[in-house]
Structure formats: C-alpha cells, structure tokens
Amino acid sequence: MTSTVPALGTRTAEGSALQAVLLDMDGTLVDTEGFWWDVEVEVFGGLGHALDDSWRHVVVGGPMTRSAGFLIEATGADITLAELTVLLNNGFEDRIDRALPLMPGAARLLAELYEHEIPTALVSASHRRIIDRVLTFLGPQHFALSIAGDEVSRTKPYPDPYLLAAAGLGVDPARCAVVEDTATGVAAAEAAGCQVVAVPSVAPIAPATRRTVVTSLEQVDLAFLHSLMTEML
C-alpha cells in the first residue's frame, strides 16, 4: 500500500469546525515505542555496544534517519545508516508479528471516527513497510490515507507529513485535530497549524496554545475533539 490521495468527494465533517482527524501510529494507536527501543538495544548489543537508557528520550518519536544516526554516532558502531535501517525494520517487524498491542481506547476511537464518517489519516515517521504491516491490525478501512516517513523529503518534526495529509483529504490544517504521543510529533503538527491532542508515551509534554494534554487515549472521543475545535475557532 502506498500513500494515497483520495478522489474529490472524500467524506468530510460538513457543518463542523472539525474537518479531519490525523493520527500518529507508534505510541499513539499501537503500544510499540518500547518495541523500537528493545530492537535498538538488541541490534547494538549484537554489534558490541550497550545503549544508555537516557538516549531513549532522544530517539523516541523521530525519523529513523535521525534516531539511527544518533545511535551510530553515540556508540561509534561500525555500521552504515542503510545497514542499520534494515536491521531495525526487520527486528521491529518480527516483534509486531508476534504481538501488536493497541493503546487503550485506540480501537474505540477508530470505530467511532469511522462510524461518523470523519476523514482520518495515519501519519507516521515509520517506513511504509512498517505502516502497511500495522494497518492490517488496525484495519485499513479506518483510514482514508496514510503517510509514511520514507515517502516525504522532510518528516517529523517538520510539518510536511501533516500538511500532505490535510491536502490529501482536501481539508484545512487549522481544522484538523492531530493526536500525537511525542514532542517531535507535536512539533510537526503545530508547525502545520493543526490543533493537537498530546497523549505522552515516553517523555512528558506540557500543555500549550492549540495543544491539549491528556493521560490516555481513553479520554479522547469525537465529542472531545469537536469541543476542542469549537473552542479554538
């Protein structure tokens, strides 16, 4: 599956300040941020290097080029970025094939958005091969399109993925609600001009203008998203 731009006539939330919902994947819908770190620890252990646990906050939420590049530089490991990317993706796929736990409230929220015909996009810094594997668990019918980190020239924390998703859905970024779990993803969504709901997974995120912080996705439903947009617009 590739990122797709739907034809004109894609479902929209007519008459509502909320036009679309854009969702991050790792740590937001699926409980996989820990998977990535476990794979990184395992791969670098095989290369003879131990990872400092404090680095976990550095690499979480960003594109693989950034996180993998940081770990190569920090450890001095004798491996190229391209080689490491393959090992990390392979290790992650192996883990999600064994188990892919959803975040509490994720299935309910996706079902609600689908039932009420709210245009929804999956926007992730993960590569397409990973997104397509996860989509089989989440249900591809829940998303009008998906954006992968290796399909944009600049991924999170740049606004490009969220701007592309809004354009693909034919909606105004300012009338999109974004749900994210990391500071990197929040920065990307805010730079795109979206209203953000942060559900921190690894590192704390402070509330701010156009940003609401909750402790669990179970606190997020369609009425909640509508209320946020009504307050901001």
Side-chain angles (χ1 to χ4, degrees):
M1 182 184 296
T2 59
S3 61
T4 49
V5 177
L8 293 177
T10 295
R11 299 174 303 183
T12 58
E14 296 295 341
S16 169
L18 176 68
Q19 289 187 334
V21 177
L22 314 179
L23 297 159
D24 174 54
M25 187 177 76
D26 294 300
T28 299
L29 293 176
V30 289
D31 192 6
T32 50
E33 289 292 10
F35 284 15
W36 282 113
W37 179 249
D38 290 345
V39 170
E40 288 160 349
V41 169
E42 180 180 295
V43 168
F44 277 90
L47 296 171
H49 299 275
L51 301 187
D52 190 312
D53 195 59
S54 65
W55 295 344
R56 183 175 181 178
H57 288 186
V58 178
V59 301
V60 68
M64 187 173 292
T65 51
R66 189 197 74 183
S67 57
F70 168 83
L71 292 174
I72 291 173
E73 183 176 353
T75 61
D78 184 20
I79 189 170
T80 68
L81 183 59
E83 291 169 337
L84 180 56
T85 295
V86 171
L87 292 178
L88 293 177
N89 277 327
N90 287 345
F92 185 80
E93 284 188 348
D94 178 64
R95 275 167 171 72
I96 64 175
D97 282 346
R98 284 181 272 153
L100 183 58
L102 298 185
M103 298 298 288
R108 185 264 313 149
L109 178 60
L110 290 175
E112 184 179 19
L113 295 174
Y114 184 76
E115 178 185 356
H116 290 273
E117 300 188 331
I118 303 298
T120 303
L122 187 66
V123 183
S124 175
S126 290
H127 289 186
R128 171 54 56 186
R129 60 181 284 194
I130 299 298
I131 288 181
D132 285 349
R133 189 70 64 92
V134 174
L135 276 171
T136 64
F137 291 91
L138 292 176
Q141 74 275 11
H142 291 122
F143 305 95
L145 62 83
S146 59
I147 305 294
D150 57 340
E151 295 172 342
V152 291
S153 58
R154 301 189 309 174
T155 189
K156 305 172 187 180
Y158 294 100
D160 305 35
Y162 283 113
L163 292 174
L164 182 60
L169 294 175
V171 297
D172 180 357
R175 294 178 66 180
C176 292
V178 169
V179 185
E180 273 280 1
D181 73 302
T182 67
T184 300
V186 166
E190 290 180 340
C194 303
Q195 171 69 33
V196 180
V197 178
V199 192
S201 63
V202 175
I205 299 173
T209 303
R210 298 191 66 84
R211 181 196 313 166
T212 302
V213 181
V214 298
T215 59
S216 169
L217 204 60
E218 292 183 304
Q219 298 171 252
V220 181
D221 59 15
L222 185 53
F224 175 81
L225 297 174
H226 275 307
S227 69
L228 291 180
M229 299 303 296
T230 300
E231 291 172 5
M232 295 304 302
L233 296 177

